[in-house]
Amino acid sequence: MKNITGEEITYAVSNAFKRANVDIPASIEEKICNNIMIESGDTPKAILKQIADNYELARKDRLPLCQDCGMAIVFAEVGQEVYIKGDFENAVQEGIRKAYTEYYLRKSVVKDPIFDRSNTEDNTPGIIYTRLIPGDQLKITVAAKGFGSENCSNVRMFLPADTIDDIKEYIVETVKQAGPNTCPPVIVGVGIGGTMDKAAVMAKQATIRDISIRNSDIRYEKLENEILQMINRTGIGPGGFGGRTTALAVNIEQYATHIASVPVAVNLCCHVSRHAAVIL
Amino acid sequence: MKKQIILPISDEQIKGLNAGDIVSISGVIYTARDAAHKRMDVTLETGGELPFDVRNQGIYYLGPTPARPGRIIGSAGPTSSYRMDKYTPMLLDRGLKVMIGKGRRGQNVIESMKKNCAVYFAATGGAAALLSNSIKNCEVIAYGDLGTEAIRRLTLDHMDAIVAIDCYGVDQYEKGQDEYLSSL
């Protein structure tokens, strides 16, 4: 049995959001820098260079990478042998509040989607997904999800009679429809299987998987690579002004599903994929 | 070679800009995004006056992060412009000349830009810390209760952008992608 207090959770969540908003994951920065060389046109090169300079400046001056500091999403994997002293969800929300109010991050959450679009002023509530796992650790992964790309995301329920090519085409078409609006180059998170909601959550998790890690199932790894190549042949390019670099990665997460369906969710994320993890 | 733009700009200068031109923008511009546009729309519908005179002016679709002590503004990059499309033609009809944002515009906006001789620039989405260094002055002038969505008057100093749609209706998002694909 391990004891973890609400204060420790609040501090960990707050610190993770602070880091996520200023420090770009190394694998993304490396890919952007490499692709400056791969692009041939002046405009795509200049845009990738600006993106790389922004990563460096944000890290050095501890400035938010993007003015949209996102809606706060927290994935918590709670060990069964952990005893949490205090209210877990309150502690997480307090961590979000602390990060966004103390570190000069933008508050982008409104109270109600339809009837009261006034700002909550502290970026809460965030969205919390909790899973119980064996062990005595608490792993918290946070994501600051921007909505330029969130608005371009999509879910479709395919049928068992549909082909793998239909699914590939749908994913590529979702990226094409979004075009410049998602701030390409993008990371394409895909959830396949489960139910409509399960597919959507997997797609979100896929957007925060490190882009250097491929699916452990070789069939899905092949699918990831094929879809990435298709997307990078669309010509959308950096900023949407034409070029090779439209997506940095296609990350797929899959799960068993019903005999009647093939749910597919596509969650797009801009090149400023902000996430961080901490283990207590 | 970057074209130097100093706001406000004349119709003559707007006519000299073509989709795909790389520009460096200086001068005064106003920020407004979703909530401010909606409020301006309601104001006009109910016979009120806009909080600033849009004639010959520009709007930057931006909601910055709060400024840290000692800084003029927080991180400040463009938001997706298409969400403002519903309101844009009425502003263009009232003399708005320049827009800075990112992403596609609707056909209604493009037609209105042609009719009113206006230009749409795109700045790089997600380069907000870098872009904030080109802002030399920032002052909330209206709708302060909207926080990040308030209307601010900014002074830009050499902010990099691209002519995304020119006053002839040429769309660099389409043109750039077509040119890239045909170069393969």
Side-chain angles (χ1 to χ4, degrees), chain B residues 6-74:
Chain B
I6 296 171
L7 300 175
I9 52 172
S10 66
D11 281 10
E12 235 19 72
Q13 289 170 296
I14 290 173
K15 285 174 188 162
L17 293 170
N18 294 106
D21 287 351
I22 296 187
V23 298
S24 172
I25 307 173
S26 301
V28 170
I29 197 157
Y30 296 84
T31 70
R33 47 168 295 155
D34 308 65
H37 275 79
K38 196 166 193 170
R39 198 177 282 186
M40 286 194 284
D41 186 47
V42 171
T43 301
L44 287 175
E45 275 192 359
T46 52
E49 280 199 10
L50 291 177
F52 67 101
D53 188 354
V54 297
R55 267 178 306 170
N56 300 320
Q57 299 300 317
I59 292 181
Y60 182 5
Y61 304 129
L62 161 69
T65 63
R68 228 164 43 194
R71 289 189 68 90
I72 293 160
I73 195 169

Side-chain angles (χ1 to χ4, degrees), chain B residues 34-147:
Chain B
D34 308 65
H37 275 79
K38 196 166 193 170
R39 198 177 282 186
M40 286 194 284
D41 186 47
V42 171
T43 301
L44 287 175
E45 275 192 359
T46 52
E49 280 199 10
L50 291 177
F52 67 101
D53 188 354
V54 297
R55 267 178 306 170
N56 300 320
Q57 299 300 317
I59 292 181
Y60 182 5
Y61 304 129
L62 161 69
T65 63
R68 228 164 43 194
R71 289 189 68 90
I72 293 160
I73 195 169
S75 293
T79 196
S80 300
S81 310
Y82 73 94
R83 294 197 314 272
M84 270 49 79
D85 283 0
K86 185 177 163 188
Y87 311 110
T88 301
M90 61 118 178
L91 294 173
L92 292 169
D93 285 343
R94 282 173 173 75
L96 181 73
K97 288 290 170 187
V98 169
M99 296 160 284
I100 306 178
K102 68 166 170 91
R104 293 191 197 108
R105 304 308 301 260
Q107 204 52 44
N108 63 326
V109 172
I110 296 175
E111 289 309 318
S112 182
M113 285 172 62
K114 283 159 66 178
K115 187 179 89 179
N116 292 298
C117 188
V119 61
Y120 168 50
F121 299 108
T124 299
L130 190 69
L131 291 168
S132 74
N133 280 347
S134 307
I135 298 170
K136 297 301 167 199
N137 194 42
C138 170
E139 181 191 357
V140 173
I141 59 142
Y143 304 165
D145 59 300
L146 294 179

